[in-house]
Structure formats: C-alpha cells, structure tokens
Amino acid sequence: MKTQPFQLTTLSQSSLQDYVDCARRFKLRYLDRLSYPAIETEPTLENEKHQQEGEYFHRLVQQHLIGIPAEQIARFANTTNLQRWWENFQNSKDLKNLTGSKKLLGLSPEATLSAPLGKYRLLAKYDLIAVENGKATIYDWKTYRKRPRNEWLSARLQTRVYRALLVNAGAHLNNGKLFEPEQIEMIYWFADFPDDPACFPYTSAQFKRDWDLLVKLSEEITSASSYPLTDDRQKCAFCTYRSYCERGVRAGDIEQAEAEMEAEELFDVNFEQIGEIAF
Ligand code: SF4
C-alpha cells in the first residue's frame, strides 16, 4: 500500500536550519519522519548524559522563573555539572534582574510564538522573554562545552527566527502593539561561561533582511521537488542519517565536533523533549 507523504504545516528554526545545512536531512527528518537510525557523536554515553543534564537544567531554570524558590531548586541540581550551572545561573551579574530580589515582573518563560509564513506557520519556543520599560530581551540558555564565536551564532537561524518572530507575533507582550525591532535584543547565556554572554540587538534593516530570507526559504520548501545531499561532507560525520546516505557508519568524535563548533547544535535542548520534574 502506498503511504501518503507527510503534510508539513509548521516550520521552526530547527527545521529551517536543517534545510539550509542539508536539504536531504530536512526531507528525512521532517517529510519522511524517519527516526534516528545512527548515533551522532562518540563517546555516546557521555554525550547523552550531557544532553540530559542540559535538558534538566532548562527545566530547573524554568521552574525557578515561575516561582519555585532557589533553595528548593538547588536540591535537584544533583550532579557536578548541574550544580555548577545552577550556581553560575544564580550568581550571574547579567541575570540578576531575573533571579534577585528585584525580580522583573514581565517574564514569560517557555513562551511559544507563531505567525504565518507562506503556506506554513513559523513556530518558536523561547526559553524566556523578559519585557521591561518597553524593551524585550530574549534569553536562551546554552550548556555548550565550548563558547561559540559570535559570528557563528549571529548567522544561525535561531538568532534570526527568534528576533524576527518576536517582532511579528509579540504584540500581546507589548500592550497590544507590535515591537519595533530596535526594542528587541537576544542574549545567549552560557552555563559554563556565565560572564561571557552573546548579545544580539536588532534593527529594522536586520528584521527586513531576516524576514525576506524566511519567506524565501518557505517558498523554496513549498516548491522543492528534489532534496540534494549536502556537498559539505563534514556535516555527515555528525548526522544521524548518514547510513541512509551512504556517508559513513562511524559517528563523529565529540572532540572534533567541538573543534568545529557547529556540531554543538546537536546538543541543543528542544522543549518538546523535556519531561516534567516533580518539585
Ligand atoms: S548524512 Fe550528510 S547528506 Fe545525508 S542527511 Fe546527513 S548531512 Fe545530509
């Protein structure tokens, strides 16, 4: 029996990044809906543990931001990494408005925004949007082992989608009025580099450039009839689909991945994967 192709209705920074990195990966993951046939990096167990701790850390921060006291949260930071990340989070001077006694009122942890994009809906889940005095700051927590370069982060679809979507879909966070791009900033805060966040303010020119790109990508995806394999074979070493593409069997080494940095995206935390923790 012939199966119907999956009808894609939403796009996200992850699916768009996959499309830009490798059209075949986009097809396998989002249209064919293939589950993960191969491990991404070696050593497997250590990387899985790091990823799980990263997910857990996101949940701890989210619970704290919705009102669970820090002392209670600290009890759950029960591994060396979690303990260090949690202490760094609490002591960070850049985050004092989020955690200290003068805590901001306009905090929206784990906010989901969406807006039409061509025939799709563009969807984003934010770690935190903080609004104060007409300024909106997008926070994203990263548990990377190495601090990425700002140029690399700036070009990522996440940086471009998150800011552009907040302009187009954030009116309910701004008394019913759309944010101007100049009111928005995105901050990546690194749990292992707490004093060196990456900050990306926004301008109208950047917003136009980003939204034009997103529209163009959505149109390309709508009309695509072929999904070529990437020419950049380095991407295949860390790709779960490499056996489908006959691009190798052995997983890429984490040390090599860290040297190339972009593979750290593999350890990014996806909210849909995070389970509940009972406090
Ligand atoms: S193995 Fe390479 S070509 Fe195949 S989907 Fe992954 S990145 Fe693309």
Side-chain angles (χ1 to χ4, degrees):
M1 192 174 70
K2 201 170 173 215
T3 52
Q4 292 293 318
F6 179 77
Q7 279 300 317
L8 192 67
T9 55
T10 60
L11 292 171
S12 66
Q13 60 94 7
S14 317
S15 61
L16 289 165
Q17 189 70 56
D18 273 336
Y19 181 76
V20 168
D21 286 347
C22 175
R24 179 62 57 92
R25 187 193 290 166
F26 172 86
K27 177 180 185 293
L28 292 171
R29 185 167 284 160
Y30 297 98
L31 302 179
D32 298 348
R33 317 277 281 179
L34 289 180
S35 55
Y36 291 27
I39 54 173
E40 289 164 329
T41 50
E42 297 279 10
T44 319
L45 276 180
E46 190 188 318
N47 296 327
E48 257 176 34
K49 181 169 171 277
H50 189 94
Q51 187 164 11
Q52 281 166 3
E53 287 178 311
E55 292 172 12
Y56 205 84
F57 175 71
H58 276 70
R59 180 58 69 197
L60 294 181
V61 171
Q62 187 259 348
Q63 293 292 305
H64 182 49
L65 292 174
I66 62 171
I68 308 278
E71 311 73 57
Q72 213 168 324
I73 300 283
R75 286 194 285 120
F76 289 86
N78 53 10
T79 68
T80 310
N81 279 342
L82 281 168
Q83 217 166 14
R84 187 179 66 254
W85 296 340
W86 178 244
E87 277 172 19
N88 287 345
F89 181 83
Q90 285 214 278
N91 296 332
S92 167
K93 59 179 172 21
D94 295 302
L95 303 181
K96 63 182 181 307
N97 284 351
L98 309 178
T99 57
S101 53
K102 291 189 182 152
K103 202 166 167 175
L104 290 179
L105 292 176
L107 299 184
S108 303
E110 293 195 10
T112 300
L113 300 185
S114 74
L117 179 70
K119 61 174 275 216
Y120 305 100
R121 275 201 90 74
L122 179 65
L123 187 86
K125 297 191 175 187
Y126 298 75
D127 285 347
L128 174 68
I129 302 172
V131 181
E132 186 190 30
N133 299 330
K135 183 181 174 194
T137 309
I138 299 163
Y139 288 93
D140 199 76
W141 325 123
K142 296 288 189 206
T143 51
Y144 293 161
R145 282 167 272 209
K146 189 174 162 191
R147 163 73 159 84
R149 289 175 299 115
N150 282 7
E151 298 73 32
W152 181 79
L153 286 165
S154 165
R156 299 298 291 171
L157 263 302
Q158 182 177 16
T159 312
R160 304 176 77 167
V161 165
Y162 277 33
R163 291 179 304 175
L165 190 57
L166 183 55
V167 173
N168 273 345
H172 62 291
L173 300 172
N174 190 36
N175 299 318
K177 199 163 162 272
L178 290 178
F179 283 111
E180 295 293 331
E182 284 74 10
Q183 291 176 275
I184 290 173
E185 181 173 25
M186 179 157 184
I187 296 180
Y188 291 100
W189 183 81
F190 305 99
D192 264 325
F193 308 91
D195 299 325
D196 191 16
C199 306
F200 297 99
Y202 212 28
T203 65
S204 297
Q206 287 174 318
F207 168 66
K208 182 175 180 329
R209 177 205 65 182
D210 287 346
W211 200 259
D212 287 351
L213 171 74
L214 296 173
V215 169
K216 179 173 160 285
L217 289 174
S218 77
E219 287 170 354
E220 263 182 51
I221 290 170
T222 303
S223 59
S225 55
S226 70
Y227 301 88
L229 282 62
T230 178
D231 291 332
D232 179 1
R233 283 178 172 260
Q234 278 192 328
K235 290 199 163 63
C236 306
F238 311 108
C239 177
T240 51
Y241 299 109
R242 60 192 179 278
S243 56
Y244 282 98
C245 304
E246 299 184 352
R247 290 262 173 114
V249 179
R250 195 177 169 273
D253 188 274
I254 184 59
E255 284 183 15
Q256 191 189 340
E258 286 183 345
E260 290 166 12
M261 226 22 260
E262 65 264 29
E264 277 285 15
E265 278 294 294
L266 298 171
F267 306 108
D268 255 356
V269 171
N270 180 342
F271 273 126
E272 285 105 307
Q273 298 163 352
I274 301 178
E276 290 297 327
I277 298 168
F279 283 85

